[in-house]
Amino acid sequence: MKTKSILTLLALIAFTALSHAQESEENPIKKLFIDQLSAFPQEKIYVQTNKGSYYPGETIWMRVHLVDAIFMKQANASRYVYVELINPAKHLVERVKLRPDSTGCFYGHIQLDEEIGEGDYLLRAYTRFMQNVGEDYFFTKHLYISNPVSEKVSVDINYKAEGNGVNAELLFSAKGRTEKLTPGQCVVFSGGTAKGNAKTVSFKDKTGSCSFTGKEVSKEKVFLLQAVIESRMYKRYFKIPDIEKTFDVSFFPEGGYAPLSVSTTMAFKALNNRGWSEDVKGQVFDDQNHLCTEFESSHLGMGSFKLFYSPGRKYYAMCTNKEKVMKRFELPAPSDSAVSLKTVWRDNKLLVRILKSPGFRLPPQTQLIAHARGVPIYVDLWDEKKDCIAFEKDFFPAGVIHFLLIDKERNILTERLIFSMPGSTLANAHVDVDQEKHQTRDKINLSIQLTDENKAPLSGNFSLAVVDANGASIDTTSNIISSLLLSSEIKGYIEDPASYLRQDGKKSEAALDVLMITQGWRRYDIPKLLKGKLTKALQYPVELGEEISGKAEGVFSSLKGGNISLLALKDSVEGVELAKTDNAGRFLFKNLEYCEGTRYIIQATANSKSKKAFLEMDSTSCFPSLVTQQIISRKEPVLKDSFLLTSNKRYSAFEGMKTYHLGEVMVTAKRKVEAVTESPYYSVTSSKVITAKDIEGWHVSSTYDLLRRLAGVTVNGTDVRYRGNKPMLLLDNVPTEDFDYSMLMIDDIQDIFVNQGATMGAIFGTMGSNGAIVINTKNGFVQTNTINPNIKVVKALGYQQPVKFYSPVYSTEQERNSSKPDYRTTLLWNPNVQVDSTGMVNLSFYAADIPTTYRVVLEGISSLGHLIYSAEKEITVAPDKQ
């Protein structure tokens, strides 16, 4: 049975639904909360990846847990989940669209490029419906991608102020040795892309130097370092820090206000200029410079202290960080008409009391409200005769509970967050291994049992990874518990959220309570809700399928009653859809579902043969911005040498000579020339080449949209100009004039660039004097039919087709003795382990070639809403006795 905390939520919602009118009269505030939940339900996402760090060419395997925010159970209202990988320069690396399998589970993968740069990447996941809440509530997770060269080489960068700019001093050294290295070539690119402005790093006495102007630093703080070391390409992202090592401390009185002549709990939070926590010590003085108290941060730059506000006094704090930098901060001013909520856990009970200045009286009909994830748990008048209100520990469901004290006009007087974790929150996951130790390439058998707090079996599903605890990084800063119960409820960035929920007694409880004071709950606009102004008009409805829409026009008016056809093409015809235009010429195809790589050909025909039709398509791209405050680079992880060694071995074994190739030739001049096109007309004076990979990543809808991205090219309708003049076109090296670019399919283009008139005029005379647009196609351009105005081609983001994780089998002697090396750091990845009513499941797999310790990590949700998490079980693999 599910326990009291979840039953509380169920009872409240069921009672409200059955007796809506009566509830409205008895307690209109509860009705407002329930009405808001009905109009604007909430989803939450957590993504488990097979590990926390990767190397180029590897696959990121992921399971997306999409849950209903109230009951923490599997949700399937949204048909699709979008997962993005964003590089340290905030550029999109990959975006995939996932749909559920037959059991309602979402899972997929992202294949990393072999030339991807080392750095701290961000994995972001959301549904269309979650865009209504805002990017602060998307799921985010940091993943570190290393470079195999890092096993042998370390790079230290020191930054110094240089006028208004910054000078970077680069030191390359061999790991384990004191000798310095000088790369054969070394270039940095501003903007974090190899197509950005290149700066050559100059070396003197084996020390590299590169300068950035103040304008460059303010615009782009991330740069990409690219160097050739021992004939191997080394790519890594670096962020230019603020030279001045400063920090800021914010102070938060409990309940939001500091009543006069009352001892108040004051929480504080210290951050440095990189957005990371900063440990500080401090002293509080009044305006007569009398020392009042001292304090020190206890967890991730946060802590608390008691302060008595005396009448007529002001207070400030002198704070010092580890670098002995001292700063002064003014404390919040007290008020003689303030009231503050104070909470404390005592003997498994939550005590809620009110602090107020002497002589101050609460307004009449003051009410105390407590809600969990928008569900009202407690609403009642505050009884001033009582010293406090006591709640049993299991009265509240798991997660953040939001207390508010309001007056009769429903103005918020004070509010307080607390965190609840009843015993029924977590499932017990017991993992057994068939034997204590295994040898390389042995078969390993696991048995897993799920039970509730009463040892009763639980059904449900979870994702499971078995990874090398030494050769792969396991994320210890976030898990399904900290994400669904904590991070997803609070607006803003939380550093190391899992640290607040570790079972280490009062220290973590105290840190968690300070976090509750310093953060805020903002999933709904509570002040507006209390005034009856509910959020009902949602920009993004629940996505049930893909939609393609547009407008069809006739010669002089909208095309009424026209016929619209949609042809879905991939390798062959995937499907045909038909629609009719309305009186305004609008049309809509709903609930489309085709896989990635599918193109739609939409055609409009008038109901009269004598009437022409023209199509205008609505944009299919409404993805959120990549520039978000949540993309905060975490402190750079210290990668274990064993991880780097394993990744280097595997990379070398499977990539062969490609691993030890010479890096791209980089010209040590102002510009970097890349051999990204085979066109004989490409030269150093040409524009940047736009490749097929760029085109695919940009999701441009037409060749005209692509032309607009070329430097100096303007497009007005079908009129294409280069620096104000009409350029010639070189299509597959053939000069062409008066070309209709709509005849060229965007997916057929291999690369495109622009050449200046001076260059082309010398070759083609007056024909090329206005410059040339050079387009090379993948298979050669063959004109079949001019695309008529009544036909449009749309390439939307289709769903990702599932790929099964490969795990080798060594069941025979021949397989065990195979010479093919097995350097896997992930032995097993199963994104959807289904557990029946017995609570038991058995799994088997084979060990790899590296003697090490493997960690079993499983995360999921039971059918009753228990959160499943286990990362303690280890498996030891010793060398083969042979």
Side-chain angles (χ1 to χ4, degrees), residues 591-644:
N591 299 326
L592 301 175
E593 188 164 71
Y594 295 97
C595 67
E596 55 192 349
T598 302
R599 293 185 297 181
Y600 301 135
I601 298 178
I602 297 99
Q603 181 174 5
T605 56
N607 48 19
S608 171
K609 290 184 178 180
S610 61
K611 192 172 183 180
K612 290 185 177 180
F614 304 88
L615 269 179
E616 292 181 8
M617 302 302 301
D618 296 333
S619 173
T620 59
S621 177
C622 55
F623 297 106
S625 168
L626 298 179
V627 182
T628 167
Q629 291 182 346
Q630 284 191 322
I631 304 180
I632 298 176
S633 296
R634 64 177 175 181
K635 297 177 182 178
E636 189 171 297
V638 178
L639 297 177
K640 297 179 181 179
D641 288 339
S642 54
F643 167 76
L644 296 170

Side-chain angles (χ1 to χ4, degrees), residues 319-551:
C319 300
T320 306
N321 65 2
K322 288 185 176 180
E323 281 74 35
K324 306 302 181 183
V325 177
M326 180 178 288
K327 294 184 68 176
R328 171 174 169 152
F329 300 95
E330 303 298 324
L331 266 59
S335 173
D336 58 3
S337 59
V339 62
S340 176
L341 279 174
K342 181 174 181 60
T343 65
V344 62
W345 288 99
R346 185 176 298 163
D347 299 328
N348 285 327
K349 291 184 178 181
L350 178 70
L351 306 181
V352 181
R353 57 168 50 97
I354 287 178
L355 299 180
K356 54 188 178 66
S357 301
F360 175 74
R361 294 188 61 82
L362 287 176
Q365 299 182 27
T366 297
Q367 295 187 77
L368 180 68
I369 302 171
H371 73 91
R373 303 186 285 277
V375 177
I377 305 298
Y378 178 90
V379 180
D380 205 353
L381 293 173
W382 182 268
D383 187 354
E384 287 198 80
K385 295 179 182 179
K386 294 183 179 180
D387 178 60
C388 66
I389 299 177
F391 297 94
E392 295 292 334
K393 182 178 181 179
D394 287 344
F395 180 79
F396 298 106
V400 176
I401 311 300
H402 187 194
F403 281 92
L404 304 108
L405 195 70
I406 65 171
D407 61 21
K408 64 179 181 179
E409 283 80 27
R410 300 178 187 169
N411 299 307
I412 299 175
L413 303 176
T414 176
E415 52 189 318
R416 176 72 153 91
L417 300 182
I418 64 105
F419 189 83
S420 172
M421 182 72 90
S424 62
T425 305
L426 307 180
N428 298 309
H430 185 71
V431 183
D432 276 329
V433 188
D434 56 349
Q435 61 190 61
E436 186 177 345
K437 285 188 178 182
H438 292 81
Q439 294 177 343
T440 56
R441 300 200 177 189
D442 267 359
K443 185 176 183 180
I444 302 172
N445 297 302
L446 288 182
S447 63
I448 302 171
Q449 183 176 29
L450 298 182
T451 60
D452 65 11
E453 71 277 14
N454 298 316
K455 306 299 181 183
L458 285 173
S459 60
N461 74 80
F462 57 81
S463 45
L464 179 142
V466 181
V467 297
D468 186 342
N470 297 312
S473 171
I474 299 172
D475 187 5
T476 60
T477 64
S478 177
N479 55 50
I480 194 169
I481 303 170
S482 65
S483 179
L484 294 183
L485 297 184
L486 184 60
S487 304
S488 59
E489 285 293 297
I490 294 178
K491 190 171 184 177
Y493 175 75
I494 302 176
E495 184 180 332
D496 195 2
S499 66
Y500 297 95
L501 302 180
R502 294 186 183 122
Q503 305 298 316
D504 55 0
K506 292 186 177 181
K507 184 177 179 181
S508 61
E509 291 177 4
L512 181 58
D513 196 54
V514 171
L515 180 71
M516 293 295 100
I517 299 176
T518 60
Q519 304 291 136
W521 190 93
R522 290 294 182 269
R523 275 195 169 263
Y524 296 121
D525 192 333
I526 297 297
K528 284 187 177 181
L529 182 151
L530 292 172
K531 298 287 187 177
K533 300 176 181 178
L534 304 184
T535 302
K536 292 185 177 180
L538 303 178
Q539 182 180 356
Y540 303 97
V542 173
E543 189 176 23
L544 303 177
E546 187 176 1
E547 296 185 354
I548 299 292
S549 61
K551 185 178 182 180

Side-chain angles (χ1 to χ4, degrees), residues 720-722 725-729 736-737 741 767 770-773:
V720 179
R721 301 276 172 169
Y722 175 57
N725 299 307
K726 194 169 184 178
M728 69 176 289
L729 170 67
T736 307
E737 288 185 295
Y741 288 95
M767 184 180 180
N770 292 334
I773 295 173

Side-chain angles (χ1 to χ4, degrees), residues 52 107 174 186 279 300 304 359 421 437 482 487 604 681 723 733 735:
Y107 45 86
C186 188
D279 289 327
L300 296 175
S304 65
M421 182 72 90
K437 285 188 178 182
S482 65
S487 304
Y681 298 105
R723 296 180 178 174
N733 301 325

